[in-house]
Amino acid sequence: MERKARRLSKKSYYVSRIRKVARLLFYRRHSIPGAKGWELRRKVGSDYPKIVKLLDEYLGKIGLTVKVVFEEANPPENPTLEQYDKARFYITLKDDLTADEAKLVGWRIDDLAALCASIAYIISKGGKAQRKELEKLLENKMPDWRVDINLNRFVKLGYLIEDDNEQIYLGWRTRAEVDQKKLIDSLLEAETKTSV
């Protein structure tokens, strides 16, 4: 009887922790979704990576996953608690969106194309590009006023990062949501089809 009570109390412990982590990750604060590792540690304790893993398993049943985005461009293989504390935890879709689902995201198709072109261009330039170069690229396909709005929006939403020297890099959200290899492969495949 005592063992069963301990098992139930352990289960209720994890359920309450999973709920806290889910609430932190689902609800937005400011314009940035998700939470930093140190926020999770403060709310649920130092075993939060284990709690996140349990939440991820649960969310996997409904097509969602918890992405961990580290500050470094190349994520560590066996992250330390300190590295997890600096990382951003973010809930996203486990699988790719279908064309019908993409319409429901709330982005215009030309804005999505501008984001894809920006990401692909930055990747092709080794991970960084001057804002002027990106503006010139996008101005070939859309009005000038829309280019500035889009680039500012991409930076604000975390898809791109801009420094004081107007250098633009891939943001944490691109690393979390975009399969960069798949994007480049799709663009190359489309280019091959149009050139044939």
Side-chain angles (χ1 to χ4, degrees):
M1 191 67 151
E2 189 177 311
R3 188 183 298 169
K4 186 177 180 181
R6 265 187 296 188
R7 208 170 37 233
L8 283 175
S9 68
K10 189 174 183 179
K11 183 178 179 181
S12 65
Y13 167 82
Y14 281 111
V15 167
S16 71
R17 296 295 188 259
I18 289 170
R19 269 194 199 123
K20 282 184 181 181
V21 169
R23 287 178 181 151
L24 282 168
L25 298 184
F26 273 116
Y27 298 122
R28 281 168 82 134
R29 286 168 312 287
H30 311 293
S31 64
I32 300 174
K36 288 280 198 169
W38 65 265
E39 293 175 284
L40 297 174
R41 182 172 39 84
R42 191 177 71 204
K43 291 287 185 185
V44 297
S46 61
D47 64 341
Y48 73 90
K50 181 178 181 178
I51 307 297
V52 168
K53 188 174 181 180
L54 292 171
L55 175 63
D56 186 48
E57 290 172 11
Y58 182 76
L59 291 174
K61 296 173 188 174
I62 58 171
L64 299 173
T65 187
V66 178
K67 292 269 184 137
V68 183
V69 183
F70 294 93
E71 289 181 340
E72 306 88 30
N74 298 322
E77 280 186 37
N78 296 313
T80 64
L81 191 57
E82 186 178 302
Q83 288 170 316
Y84 273 128
D85 283 352
K86 294 176 184 175
R88 176 162 292 282
F89 292 77
Y90 176 69
I91 295 175
T92 188
L93 297 174
K94 193 171 191 170
D95 303 315
D96 296 335
L97 287 173
T98 64
D100 289 337
E101 291 171 332
K103 292 176 188 174
L104 302 174
V105 174
W107 285 58
R108 293 168 40 124
I109 192 71
D110 55 342
D111 294 342
L112 281 173
L115 178 60
C116 289
S118 299
I119 291 169
Y121 186 76
I122 292 169
I123 291 170
S124 75
K125 291 292 190 176
K128 64 181 177 180
Q130 282 289 326
R131 184 180 179 105
K132 294 275 186 224
E133 294 173 22
L134 265 178
E135 288 172 347
K136 189 175 178 183
L137 171 79
L138 296 176
E139 284 169 359
N140 290 328
K141 301 296 179 189
M142 59 182 28
D144 299 356
W145 63 271
R146 194 131 185 90
V147 169
D148 193 47
I149 288 171
N150 273 333
L151 287 177
N152 291 336
R153 180 181 182 198
F154 302 155
V155 169
K156 182 180 178 187
L157 293 174
Y159 289 103
L160 302 176
I161 298 169
E162 185 173 10
D163 67 14
D164 295 335
N165 300 323
E166 294 191 341
Q167 284 276 350
I168 297 184
Y169 307 87
L170 298 179
W172 70 268
R173 207 155 168 191
T174 296
R175 294 195 311 264
E177 294 180 11
V178 178
D179 184 338
Q180 295 174 36
K181 183 183 180 330
K182 198 171 192 177
L183 172 65
I184 298 299
D185 290 346
S186 297
L187 292 172
L188 290 173
E189 184 179 314
E191 177 64 27
T192 304
K193 287 179 181 177
T194 58
S195 62
V196 172

